[in-house]
Amino acid sequence: MQTVGELLREWRHRRRISQLDLALAADVSARHVSLVETGKSQPSAAMIHRLAERLDVPLRDRNLLLLAAGFAPRYAERSLDREQLPAVLEAIGRLLRAHEPYPALVVDRGWNIVMTNRALDSFLDGVAPELLKPPVNLVRLGLDERGLAKNIVNLAEVRSVLRTRMARQLARAPSPELLALFDEFLAGPLDGGEPESSEIVVPMIFRFGDRELRLFSTTTSFGTPVDITLDEVSIESYYPMDEQTAAYFAVKPA
């Protein structure tokens, strides 16, 4: 098992900052950071929290730092349900419903879909049943040919955007699950290279029969979570990018 100093040094290297920069950010001496990393000084729980905060260590991994130093984990991981997180679940549900008639959904750190609104249902016609078995994975749903990939006109652009997002996510909070998903769908060269969109944001362009829909997305996360579940979920909201797409959703039955 790695020591707390070894883990902190890994996170510092991952963030590409020096011991001096970390010390200045945490308001401690560079010598103290060095002593902690080499195991010559045992940090307090408060010091671990301070260094982890400056290193932007995810809550799940902050628990591992505390455990490595002999302290109890600080952050709980509760289920997103009415029993354990009722107020949060209600707030997310309101956000999803308020976004209708446009699609919105909640994904966890592995891009598994946790919740959706009703507007997503119309996109799932023709998707292979095995891709809709829980947990439904948004990346797999979008990029697998049995899913929505066959309906995405600018698939190379969408893959490029997803690859950039997931690479950043892996840099911030690496996990075997996420790395396997990246290797399956996003590693290697993209078909057509790295396309550049002339739009302000890169749209997702869907074609269903003779109808073309152009959507862009935004991502919302919790600002100050103290629970692992909330630290790792985000809300993906999709908006029409032109009047034709907006008109399609306006007449779509709820």
Side-chain angles (χ1 to χ4, degrees):
M1 181 178 177
Q2 288 180 291
T3 66
V4 63
E6 290 170 339
L7 290 172
L8 284 168
R9 183 168 59 245
E10 283 189 4
W11 281 104
R12 182 174 60 77
H13 288 169
R14 189 173 286 132
R15 298 295 181 253
R16 299 182 180 181
I17 65 175
S18 67
Q19 287 183 347
L20 178 59
D21 289 334
L22 176 58
L24 291 172
D27 195 24
V28 297
S29 70
R31 182 174 183 274
H32 185 63
V33 172
S34 176
L35 291 174
V36 168
E37 289 188 355
T38 58
K40 295 178 181 179
S41 178
Q42 182 70 7
S44 65
M47 178 56 65
I48 292 171
H49 176 72
R50 186 189 304 182
L51 294 174
E53 184 75 22
R54 301 308 182 271
L55 290 169
D56 191 26
V57 177
L59 301 190
R60 180 182 299 275
D61 294 282
R62 294 187 195 189
N63 277 348
L64 295 179
L65 289 171
L66 290 166
L67 284 169
F71 299 107
R74 175 176 178 177
Y75 302 100
E77 183 176 8
R78 287 163 285 194
S79 299
L80 195 59
D81 57 34
R82 295 193 181 280
E83 182 177 341
Q84 298 196 32
L85 292 170
V88 172
L89 185 68
E90 177 62 25
I92 292 176
R94 288 184 180 182
L95 284 172
L96 295 179
R97 292 189 297 272
H99 194 66
E100 294 175 356
Y102 309 127
L105 47 90
V106 180
V107 294
D108 63 17
R109 69 170 184 159
W111 292 76
N112 297 308
I113 298 176
V114 179
M115 297 171 62
T116 73
N117 65 10
R118 294 173 296 178
L120 185 69
D121 293 346
S122 62
F123 283 80
L124 303 181
D125 293 339
V127 171
E130 56 267 28
L131 294 182
L132 298 178
K133 293 179 180 179
V136 179
N137 186 273
L138 181 59
V139 173
R140 184 168 285 107
L141 179 66
L143 299 185
D144 194 304
E145 284 296 329
R146 299 168 298 166
L148 295 173
K150 60 183 179 295
N151 301 110
I152 300 177
V153 176
N154 61 332
L155 186 61
E157 280 190 314
V158 172
R159 285 189 65 218
S160 178
V161 171
L162 279 174
R163 181 158 73 177
T164 298
R165 282 188 61 181
M166 195 175 291
R168 290 173 181 166
Q169 187 180 353
L170 280 166
R172 180 182 183 270
S175 75
E177 176 189 15
L178 196 62
L179 184 58
L181 192 65
F182 184 92
D183 288 342
E184 182 179 358
F185 289 102
L186 298 167
L190 296 174
D191 295 336
E194 299 280 353
E196 295 185 4
S197 175
S198 60
E199 308 281 2
I200 296 175
V201 294
V202 177
M204 296 182 68
I205 307 174
F206 293 92
R207 181 173 293 130
F208 299 98
D210 60 353
R211 178 179 289 110
E212 189 170 283
L213 304 177
R214 298 169 61 87
L215 300 165
F216 71 93
S217 66
T218 64
T219 302
T220 305
S221 59
F222 287 86
T224 55
V226 291
D227 179 275
I228 292 174
T229 298
L230 300 187
D231 188 44
E232 295 179 345
V233 299
S234 61
I235 302 172
E236 302 285 327
S237 304
Y238 297 86
Y239 296 83
M241 205 158 185
D242 55 35
E243 293 181 0
Q244 292 79 9
T245 303
Y248 166 79
F249 285 103
V251 299
K252 196 71 179 172

